[in-house]
Amino acid sequence: MLRTILKEVKEFKRASIATPIYMILEVLMEMIIPFLMASIIDQGVNAGNIHHIYKVGSLMIVAALLGLLAGMAGGRYGAKASAGLARNLREAMFNNIQTFSFANIDRFSTAGLVTRLTTDVTNIQNAYQMSLRMSMRAPASIICAMTMAFLINRRLASIYLCAVIILGVILFCLIRHATKYFQMAFPKYDELNASVQENVSGIRVVKAYVREGEETTKFQKASENIYKIFVRAEKNVILNAPLMQTTVYTCILLISWLGAKMIVSNSLTTGELMSLLAYCMNILMSLMMLSMVFVMLSMSVASVRRVAEVLNETSTLENPEHPVMEVPNGAIEFKHVDFAYFKDSETPVLKNINLSIKSGETIGILGATGSAKTSLVNLISRLYDVTNGELIVGGHNVKDYDMEVLRNQVSVVLQNNVLFSGTILENLRWGDKDASEEECIRACKLACADEFIQRFPDGYNTYIEQGGSNVSGGQKQRLCIARALLKKPKILILDDSTSAVDTATDANIRRAFREEIPNTTKIIISQRISSLQDADRIIVLNEGCIDGFASHEELVETNEIYREIYESQTQGGGDFDEKAGE
């Protein structure tokens, strides 16, 4: 887990190595100063030797300046290394997420991934910087100060040793107890982010149903959970300060009392006592810094684990060693295909699917909600792998293709249409980044989108807001269809992607497909018989099984499910010719 994180240090290894070196140099300079101070008092002030005072005082200034420069360099390199690690972690996670299959994505929530990319990485960044600086500085300071104290006077230095041992045991117990609360806290950020994301993305629905109060309560509950956990953790950590203060002042009193007696008996000098007091503060303050490092590390353990989960996640889909780099045609064949989203599922979503679709055919898919229509078409572009059986596209198993090549030739317009912030042309060129404006216009004419685009003041340069919030549902669907057509695919899949357009426009889109792209295999999922009846053949799905596969006329005669849907729609006069897309 830790090795996974540290792999991302990469080009910041030098800064990571330089930071502790500079921190140790800073500590050495700080340890020299009390030793020189004792010499000034004993051999300069008490002896009345002004030359010695100037000489040793100059050395103290040099040591202080060197310590200052070393500390500044350590801070600079530590910030560079930790910020660089955070940058690399975010890039590595984002890049790995791009390789995920849908099965991988299903394991993580959107809010969870956002938390990992932000809050968790920030925790790791802070912990890494503390580790490079304080985790080297504090132990080095304790060891150096303890060594110097024992060199001056073993009897008084033993007070430090006892204090360090007692305080170390107490702090370890406190931090260990607090760690479990910190580990509970950070996953709660997922719930908080999920609440915010859900509210903002669904703000229109929230306001339409006047549910602001309930949403506020939901957010407050998530926020309150984080607050309570952190309060419980901090109740343990907050005992650090009083324990430290008590230990520091106890040591100072003991050293002053015993030291004064030793000065009177001429077994200790005034300068040595001053040095011991300075080392006392160094030792105990370093111990406090070390305790804060442990607190920070304990807080980041959960974050390290969560980030490592994303980095170690490997795609369930892999390219073959020698992939097929061309899709010959749009022929599709399912051979005894079963599919389940999870390996341990008792009942597959799709069961014993056997289909043979010729290249250039128009195939409709009809079925009740939950009949696995979308699951079926997701297998064609290998967004998921089949659990059993074979899926053949263009004469080759889909697992034999390079995934990028396959997906470039299987263009899918999903149920949830997504447009990105940018102009209409920029959105269309997601289908083909090198497409000319003329090609984009032609695709839009095929998708019946050109008519409303021309009515915009800026035409094809009209800016689309994030998520396509400034265009209607029907307009968004037609833009997504045009974007898919620009890929010039061998197979075009429309997953209920004309549900928001009127029946007249839907008919125009299908007629344009027949006339303009006759060699492209077209698969249309719809709940409207009118959208499917002129297809070459129609698949009727029922609970993951094929209940019928024939032309419209044959299904009306032979398939009960299809006939019932047909009669229920035609008896009511069919769909209203509402221009939902306008």
Side-chain angles (χ1 to χ4, degrees):
M1 183 174 68
L2 190 59
R3 185 179 299 175
T4 301
I5 300 298
L6 294 179
K7 278 182 184 177
E8 300 306 322
V9 173
K10 293 180 179 177
E11 69 269 32
F12 299 99
K13 286 180 181 177
R14 289 186 180 180
S16 299
I17 294 170
T19 301
I21 292 173
Y22 279 115
M23 299 315 298
I24 291 172
L25 180 60
E26 182 187 19
V27 167
L28 291 174
M29 294 301 104
E30 286 182 356
M31 295 303 106
I32 289 172
I33 290 174
F35 188 78
L36 295 175
M37 183 177 66
S39 177
I40 283 181
I41 293 172
D42 294 336
Q43 299 176 35
V45 177
N46 292 343
N49 186 345
I50 192 68
H51 177 72
H52 185 79
I53 293 173
Y54 285 143
K55 180 182 176 182
V56 177
S58 299
L59 291 175
M60 289 178 67
I61 292 171
V62 171
L65 288 174
L66 287 175
L68 175 64
L69 292 173
M72 290 172 62
R76 178 175 176 272
Y77 283 111
K80 183 179 179 181
S82 59
L85 173 63
R87 186 197 72 182
N88 289 348
L89 283 173
R90 290 191 182 99
E91 287 182 358
M93 278 197 289
F94 189 82
N95 291 337
N96 200 39
I97 290 168
Q98 303 311 302
T99 68
F100 285 0
S101 66
F102 279 17
N104 295 114
I105 292 171
D106 291 342
R107 290 192 61 235
F108 300 95
S109 66
T110 303
L113 290 173
V114 170
T115 304
R116 285 168 166 84
L117 283 162
T118 52
T119 304
D120 287 322
V121 171
T122 300
N123 290 335
I124 293 172
Q125 178 182 346
N126 293 335
Y128 189 62
Q129 185 171 19
M130 288 279 283
S131 298
L132 290 178
R133 297 184 65 195
M134 297 300 116
S135 64
M136 293 302 298
R137 175 188 167 84
S141 184
I142 291 171
I143 293 168
C144 291
M146 194 71 73
T147 302
M148 297 298 287
F150 270 95
L151 288 174
I152 293 171
N153 191 289
R154 292 185 179 182
R155 183 180 172 190
L156 292 179
S158 61
I159 296 173
Y160 302 149
L161 187 59
C162 293
V164 166
I165 293 171
I166 294 170
L167 198 57
V169 171
I170 295 173
L171 290 176
F172 175 78
C173 294
L174 289 176
I175 292 165
R176 186 179 180 184
H177 192 61
T179 299
K180 64 178 182 181
Y181 292 113
F182 287 123
Q183 290 176 345
M184 291 166 56
F186 291 108
K188 293 293 181 181
Y189 279 110
D190 291 355
E191 297 177 14
L192 189 72
N193 286 340
S195 176
V196 174
Q197 181 189 7
E198 189 177 47
N199 180 266
V200 173
S201 61
I203 192 67
R204 289 172 175 79
V205 178
V206 172
K207 290 189 175 296
Y209 285 88
V210 197
R211 304 289 287 186
E212 292 91 343
E214 286 78 0
E215 288 296 305
T216 301
T217 302
K218 188 192 299 182
F219 178 84
Q220 287 175 342
K221 184 178 179 180
S223 182
E224 186 71 15
N225 287 336
I226 296 174
Y227 164 76
K228 287 179 179 177
I229 292 172
F230 268 108
V231 166
R232 292 168 73 182
E234 293 294 344
K235 280 181 179 178
N236 291 280
V237 175
I238 203 170
L239 293 174
N240 266 351
L243 280 171
M244 283 292 176
Q245 294 295 332
T246 301
T247 306
V248 167
Y249 292 129
T250 301
C251 287
I252 290 173
L253 286 171
L254 286 172
I255 291 168
S256 298
W257 180 53
L258 294 173
K261 285 188 173 184
M262 294 174 76
I263 289 172
V264 171
S265 62
N266 293 321
S267 59
L268 188 73
T269 66
T270 304
E272 288 174 337
L273 178 61
M274 295 295 292
S275 295
L276 285 169
L277 290 172
Y279 288 133
C280 172
M281 295 301 293
N282 273 322
I283 291 170
L284 298 176
M285 288 303 104
S286 296
L287 196 61
M288 180 178 281
M289 282 191 292
L290 198 59
S291 71
M292 295 313 298
V293 170
F294 287 137
V295 170
M296 182 62 70
L297 290 176
S298 67
M299 290 172 65
S300 66
V301 166
S303 295
V304 167
R305 185 179 295 111
R306 285 156 54 81
V307 169
E309 280 179 3
V310 178
L311 293 176
N312 290 330
E313 182 78 6
T314 55
S315 177
T316 57
L317 305 178
E318 293 182 357
N319 271 334
E321 288 186 14
H322 304 289
V324 177
M325 300 303 292
E326 183 182 356
V327 180
N329 54 61
I332 304 167
E333 188 175 2
F334 287 79
K335 295 182 177 179
H336 306 289
V337 168
D338 293 338
F339 170 69
Y341 284 102
F342 305 102
K343 292 181 180 179
D344 56 351
S345 298
E346 294 182 2
T347 306
V349 176
L350 291 166
K351 299 175 277 288
N352 196 31
I353 303 297
N354 289 283
L355 289 172
S356 182
I357 300 169
K358 298 175 184 178
S359 181
E361 270 195 297
T362 299
I363 303 296
I365 301 179
L366 183 74
T369 301
S371 59
K373 302 184 295 294
T374 299
S375 300
L376 180 71
V377 297
N378 280 343
L379 298 176
I380 298 172
S381 55
R382 207 185 169 200
L383 297 175
Y384 293 96
D385 267 342
V386 301
T387 305
N388 293 307
E390 281 187 298
L391 174 54
I392 310 297
V393 171
H396 299 277
N397 193 310
V398 290
K399 295 180 180 179
D400 295 334
Y401 284 108
D402 176 84
M403 282 189 287
E404 186 175 341
V405 169
L406 176 65
R407 289 172 185 172
N408 274 329
Q409 293 302 320
V410 181
S411 197
V412 184
V413 184
L414 299 171
Q415 284 177 310
N416 299 321
N417 298 284
V418 177
L419 293 175
F420 299 89
S421 53
T423 65
I424 289 176
L425 276 176
E426 288 170 347
N427 270 279
L428 291 173
R429 283 173 177 149
W430 273 69
D432 180 1
K433 63 181 179 180
D434 298 320
S436 64
E437 188 169 345
E438 289 72 24
E439 289 176 312
C440 292
I441 292 172
R442 181 179 180 276
C444 287
K445 286 180 178 178
L446 287 176
C448 296
D450 181 68
E451 53 177 310
F452 72 80
I453 295 174
Q454 296 291 359
R455 291 200 295 268
F456 290 143
D458 296 324
Y460 282 82
N461 291 313
T462 299
Y463 190 83
I464 301 295
E465 301 293 340
Q466 185 177 11
S469 59
N470 59 333
V471 290
S472 70
Q475 290 170 342
K476 189 188 299 185
Q477 285 186 338
R478 283 180 275 176
L479 286 172
C480 290
I481 292 171
R483 181 175 64 189
L485 289 171
L486 276 171
K487 293 178 72 175
K488 302 178 180 66
K490 295 286 196 311
I491 300 169
L492 175 64
I493 298 171
L494 304 180
D495 187 355
D496 207 18
S497 51
T498 58
S499 58
V501 302
D502 58 274
T503 52
T505 303
D506 186 13
N508 289 335
I509 292 172
R510 286 183 281 111
R511 184 173 60 253
F513 287 172
R514 282 197 308 273
E515 296 172 357
E516 299 293 335
I517 51 172
N519 296 323
T520 299
T521 304
K522 298 163 282 292
I523 299 176
I524 302 170
I525 298 175
S526 181
Q527 297 291 352
R528 297 193 303 207
I529 295 289
S530 60
S531 298
L532 305 176
Q533 62 185 12
D534 58 351
D536 296 316
R537 288 183 291 172
I538 300 168
I539 300 168
V540 180
L541 280 176
N542 182 31
E543 296 182 353
C545 298
I546 295 177
D547 193 76
F549 185 32
S551 66
H552 166 71
E553 292 76 12
E554 290 173 318
L555 289 173
V556 169
E557 294 294 329
T558 61
N559 189 272
E560 184 178 347
I561 294 175
Y562 189 87
R563 185 169 55 251
E564 286 180 1
I565 297 173
Y566 174 71
E567 290 175 353
S568 67
Q569 291 187 10
T570 54
Q571 285 174 2
D575 292 320
F576 290 105
D577 194 14
E578 296 175 350
K579 292 198 174 184
E582 298 295 319

